[in-house]
Amino acid sequence: MKIRTTLTLKYTCVTATIFLLCTVLIYLLSEHTRAQTFFRDLKSEGITKANLFLAGQVDAQTMQSVYLNNRKFINEVEVAVYTTDFHMLYHDAIHNDIVKETQQMINEILRQREIEFSIGKYQGIGMVYLYKGKEYIVTAAAYDGYGHANLSGLQNTLIILFIIGLTLLFVAGYFLARLALKPIQNIVNEAETITASHIDRRLPVKNEKDELGELCIAFNALLNRLEVSFESQKQFVSNVSHELHTPLAALTAELDVSLQKDRTNEQYRHAMQNILQDAKRMTRLIDGLLNLAKADYCKEKISMHEVRLDELLLDVRELILRAHPDYSIELLFSNEEEDDDRLITTHGNPYLLNIAFANLIENNCKYSANHSSIVQISFYNRWSIVRMSDNGCGMSAEDKQQLFTLFYRGAKENAVEGHGIGMTLAHKIVKLHEGNIAVHSEKGRGTSFIVELPHV
């Protein structure tokens, strides 16, 4: 069952219950008012007849005749007059005798002075009537045909109104539920258009302060995270398929050439060296692509803890020199203070930061004539600052603009080995650590990379 139907039924049930209680209350109040009004009419009729009889203005036979004749057409009041010792003085119709007075009833009337009672469909009243200083007992009873007819009409009217009202309540409830849930239907329709090929679409937020607005904002945030993941996967697959094609083709060609005819040991050795070189190049490429994929992870998924940049850079220097003994890396420390340990300590992932600084420093060494890089560590305000400089050939304005673009190699791409991944990877890692990276370079004047990371 849809929420719209459920809300309609619940709304209808609740309002119908309230409506039913109101109609029942109206009926009961009307019945109470009718009964009290008729008791007053009985009292008035009983006093009138008792006064006429006791005053002798109308004889008993005439009064009984009028009662019997009227009783054929209207619900005439039957009146009886007794003395206080239960001696009957007058009765409209002794053979009919609706009340059927007893000594116990007379005693009750004398004690309470006035009583009201019901006998089947009849209402009755008994009272003490004082006439010329003497007390008499007067009883009166009749059926309130007019009042019951009106009450029956009211009952029928209330039943019809309840049925009509219930129908209107259901229709109104369905309309209101549909109107209230229409924004949700719009959200559902919009969400159905969001697919893997259209992951960039977002739900419209009309009111950020209501529940539906909060739902749309949360859903859009989820889509943002999914889009980042999807794009990372698509980019990784695209990068792998694009970049692995060339070295695999080179490996295949080298093997095909080697197997076409018999060769000397020296020729086979030369071929194996070429294949090994291509395999190492492909291994470095795969490592770079995997590291690039790791840098695309959400920050919440990466283990972060305090990292001292001076110790990290010493490890990076040792790692690079082990792989490239001809490189020269000089570490400089400035702004020395007693508490500078905290000022050059950042919150991050050592593995990723190691990769970022290694790529930047290697870039200095690769593009400088003496394969050297000067690394300077300092701090300013809330930032730990690492500056990596070389005295190499520098970069053009176009190269600087495209530096962090994936697979961009620049003007020196044939002179220096690489895949165009390192700078993109370093940029992503620094941004992942909520830092900044800038490059200053001029043709023939070297290049400087400046990395700012928030210290603890």
Side-chain angles (χ1 to χ4, degrees):
M1 185 180 293
K2 289 190 174 182
I3 295 178
R4 180 193 311 166
T5 307
T6 303
L7 287 177
T8 302
L9 292 176
K10 289 182 178 180
Y11 168 78
T12 304
C13 289
V14 171
T15 51
T17 302
I18 297 174
F19 193 15
L20 180 62
L21 291 175
C22 291
T23 54
V24 171
L25 183 61
I26 291 172
Y27 179 82
L28 294 178
L29 288 176
S30 299
E31 165 61 18
H32 178 73
T33 302
R34 180 208 62 76
Q36 295 301 312
T37 302
F38 193 64
F39 278 130
R40 287 195 297 270
D41 292 342
L42 287 176
K43 182 178 180 180
S44 176
E45 185 71 16
I47 291 174
T48 300
K49 283 190 174 183
N51 189 61
L52 288 175
F53 171 76
L54 294 174
Q57 297 179 4
V58 182
D59 61 275
Q61 187 177 359
T62 302
M63 292 177 60
Q64 290 172 346
S65 177
V66 171
Y67 168 77
L68 293 175
N69 289 331
N70 289 345
R71 194 167 178 270
K72 297 178 182 179
F73 307 102
I74 61 174
N75 295 305
E76 183 65 45
V77 179
E78 180 184 286
V79 177
V81 181
Y82 291 84
T83 61
T84 55
D85 57 356
F86 195 33
H87 175 69
M88 185 177 69
L89 299 178
Y90 171 79
H91 201 295
D92 277 331
I94 188 63
H95 60 279
N96 187 47
D97 195 11
I98 297 173
V99 178
K100 295 181 174 57
E101 297 85 350
T102 62
Q103 182 64 56
Q104 184 179 0
M105 177 184 289
I106 298 299
N107 295 336
E108 183 70 16
I109 294 172
L110 289 172
R111 186 175 64 83
Q112 296 191 24
R113 311 300 291 178
E114 183 176 322
I115 62 172
E116 296 174 350
F117 52 90
S118 297
I119 305 171
K121 65 177 183 178
Y122 296 95
Q123 289 178 241
I125 186 172
M127 59 183 172
V128 176
Y129 178 62
L130 185 63
Y131 181 78
K132 293 184 178 181
K134 187 176 180 180
E135 291 183 343
Y136 297 90
I137 304 298
V138 178
T139 62
Y143 173 70
D144 186 13
Y146 178 76
H148 281 289
N150 288 338
L151 193 63
S152 178
L154 176 64
Q155 180 181 0
N156 294 333
T157 302
L158 290 176
I159 291 174
I160 295 172
L161 285 177
F162 180 76
I163 296 173
I164 295 175
L166 192 62
T167 304
L168 293 176
L169 284 173
F170 182 83
V171 174
Y174 183 82
F175 176 76
L176 290 175
R178 183 176 181 179
L179 189 65
L181 295 176
K182 186 177 180 181
I184 297 180
Q185 185 62 48
N186 294 336
I187 292 174
V188 172
N189 294 336
E190 190 69 25
E192 289 177 348
T193 64
I194 301 174
T195 60
S197 57
H198 296 91
I199 196 67
D200 57 326
R201 292 184 179 178
R202 296 295 180 268
L203 299 179
V205 181
K206 293 185 177 180
N207 187 354
E208 297 181 358
K209 296 182 178 179
D210 64 13
E211 290 79 0
L212 292 180
E214 293 176 353
L215 175 63
C216 290
I217 292 173
F219 193 78
N220 288 339
L222 173 62
L223 289 176
N224 290 335
R225 296 191 294 271
L226 289 176
E227 184 179 12
V228 171
S229 299
F230 285 178
E231 290 300 323
S232 299
Q233 293 178 9
K234 288 168 58 179
Q235 188 179 51
F236 178 75
V237 173
S238 176
N239 295 343
V240 170
S241 61
H242 176 270
E243 290 301 312
L244 290 183
H245 177 75
T246 301
L248 285 174
L251 275 172
T252 304
E254 190 73 35
L255 290 171
D256 285 341
V257 171
S258 300
L259 294 174
Q260 283 178 1
K261 61 180 181 179
D262 292 337
R263 296 176 180 272
T264 63
N265 290 338
E266 187 62 30
Q267 288 174 330
Y268 277 122
R269 182 180 295 276
H270 180 71
M272 291 300 104
Q273 288 177 347
N274 291 338
I275 293 172
L276 179 61
Q277 185 177 0
D278 288 338
K280 288 182 177 179
R281 186 181 300 113
M282 190 163 57
T283 300
R284 289 194 296 270
L285 174 59
I286 292 173
D287 289 339
L289 291 172
L290 291 175
N291 290 330
L292 185 65
K294 291 178 182 179
D296 283 328
Y297 292 164
C298 295
K299 183 178 179 181
E300 295 79 8
K301 299 294 183 180
I302 298 176
S303 175
M304 297 279 191
H305 51 84
E306 292 187 2
V307 180
R308 282 193 52 162
L309 294 179
D310 54 349
E311 296 176 355
L312 178 74
L313 290 170
L314 286 171
D315 292 339
V316 172
R317 179 177 180 273
E318 181 180 353
L319 181 66
I320 295 175
L321 293 179
R322 190 185 306 138
H324 304 280
D326 57 327
Y327 285 4
S328 173
I329 302 172
E330 183 179 359
L331 296 180
L332 301 176
F333 300 90
S334 59
N335 301 85
E336 293 186 1
E337 295 183 7
E338 293 181 358
D339 59 346
D340 62 352
D341 289 352
R342 305 295 298 173
L343 299 177
I344 59 173
T345 300
T346 189
H347 195 68
N349 183 275
Y351 173 76
L352 293 178
L353 289 175
N354 189 301
I355 293 173
F357 286 119
N359 286 335
L360 293 172
I361 295 173
E362 282 188 338
N363 193 83
N364 281 152
C365 295
K366 285 192 295 185
Y367 287 96
S368 61
N370 57 357
H371 301 302
S372 65
S373 176
I374 300 175
V375 182
Q376 182 180 9
I377 306 174
S378 61
F379 52 84
Y380 179 75
N381 288 339
R382 59 184 290 263
W383 301 103
S384 297
I385 303 172
V386 180
R387 184 186 183 94
M388 292 147 284
S389 306
D390 65 59
N391 57 358
C393 58
M395 290 184 284
S396 65
E398 182 183 358
D399 287 346
K400 280 199 301 183
Q401 186 176 3
Q402 300 292 331
L403 180 64
F404 301 119
T405 302
L406 189 61
F407 300 129
Y408 181 78
R409 297 294 314 283
K412 298 286 185 178
E413 61 176 324
N414 295 325
V416 179
E417 183 181 0
H419 301 95
I421 297 176
M423 292 298 98
T424 304
L425 180 57
H427 182 264
K428 286 190 174 185
I429 292 174
V430 171
K431 291 300 180 182
L432 187 66
H433 287 76
E434 299 180 355
N436 302 311
I437 183 171
V439 57
H440 300 285
S441 181
E442 293 183 19
K443 272 287 191 180
R445 295 191 177 183
T447 302
S448 295
F449 295 104
I450 301 174
V451 176
E452 296 178 337
L453 296 171
H455 62 68
V456 295

